[in-house]
Amino acid sequence: KVVMVGSPLRFERAIRLGAVACVDYRTGDKVPSQAREAFGGSGADIVIEAVGSGHDLQRMIKCLAERGKLFLFGLPGDLQANANLLDGPAEYSVVKKIADEWQSHEQVLTHYLKGEIKAEDFCDGELSLDKINDGFDAIRRKEAVKLTVRMPH
């Protein structure tokens, strides 16, 4: 499992959750070579785009191994992205799953309620509602990625 992240907090969390390596997406054109290196030079069998913007499609194609699969989740159905489809392995496939954001949240909530995922694995802490602005400040300073807010009873 190699994860593309953009902050030390996410890097640490990805390793804690089982990633064996992380690639910093902020390194731009170096991402594909770093990903291939993490896979011993061959590239990734599976690359997942779950951000929903499509901005990194070109780099993701270049991260694929021969006969790899690029999974696209949550991209808008009308997305028009500039990507050279020939600038990757000779043979690869694309699997797209278009879902509205509420559907993704519903799936996450279902897994959470079953105990299959834990909020503390993905959140940096919990705040009371009166401290929500402190939470936004921490996110802006990149001291937190996600926080949960405890609602008053």
Side-chain angles (χ1 to χ4, degrees):
K1 299 175 193 175
V2 176
V3 180
M4 189 162 51
V5 297
S7 74
L9 278 175
R10 289 186 181 202
F11 179 88
E12 292 168 19
R13 180 171 294 128
I15 295 294
R16 190 175 71 239
L17 292 172
V20 295
C22 293
V23 174
D24 186 342
Y25 69 79
R26 297 171 297 178
T27 59
D29 292 339
K30 295 178 183 176
V31 167
S33 62
Q34 291 173 348
R36 283 193 297 277
E37 181 181 318
F39 285 101
S42 63
D45 293 327
I46 296 173
V47 173
I48 300 170
E49 173 11 305
V51 174
S53 68
H55 294 300
D56 284 316
L57 289 179
Q58 186 67 57
R59 289 191 292 182
M60 292 180 169
I61 290 169
K62 290 181 177 182
C63 291
L64 285 167
E66 193 63 38
R67 294 190 187 92
K69 290 184 181 178
L70 174 59
F71 285 84
L72 307 175
F73 290 99
L75 293 175
D78 60 351
L79 175 73
Q80 294 186 15
N82 291 324
N84 181 349
L85 301 178
L86 302 176
D87 195 14
E91 185 179 338
Y92 66 94
S93 59
V94 176
V95 179
K96 63 180 179 162
K97 301 287 183 185
I98 296 174
D100 289 329
E101 189 167 342
W102 69 268
Q103 292 169 314
S104 301
H105 290 217
E106 185 175 305
Q107 292 170 6
V108 169
L109 185 57
T110 298
H111 291 293
Y112 172 76
L113 292 173
K114 289 180 179 179
E116 297 170 344
I117 57 174
K118 298 178 185 116
E120 56 269 18
D121 287 341
F122 300 94
C123 294
D124 299 305
E126 182 180 282
L127 304 168
S128 58
L129 183 58
D130 63 319
K131 299 288 185 186
I132 194 166
N133 286 327
D134 295 340
F136 287 127
D137 290 340
I139 290 169
R140 279 194 233 23
R141 291 188 308 267
K142 299 198 182 283
E143 295 170 358
V145 178
K146 294 186 187 297
L147 297 163
T148 55
V149 178
R150 186 177 54 256
M151 301 303 285
H153 297 281

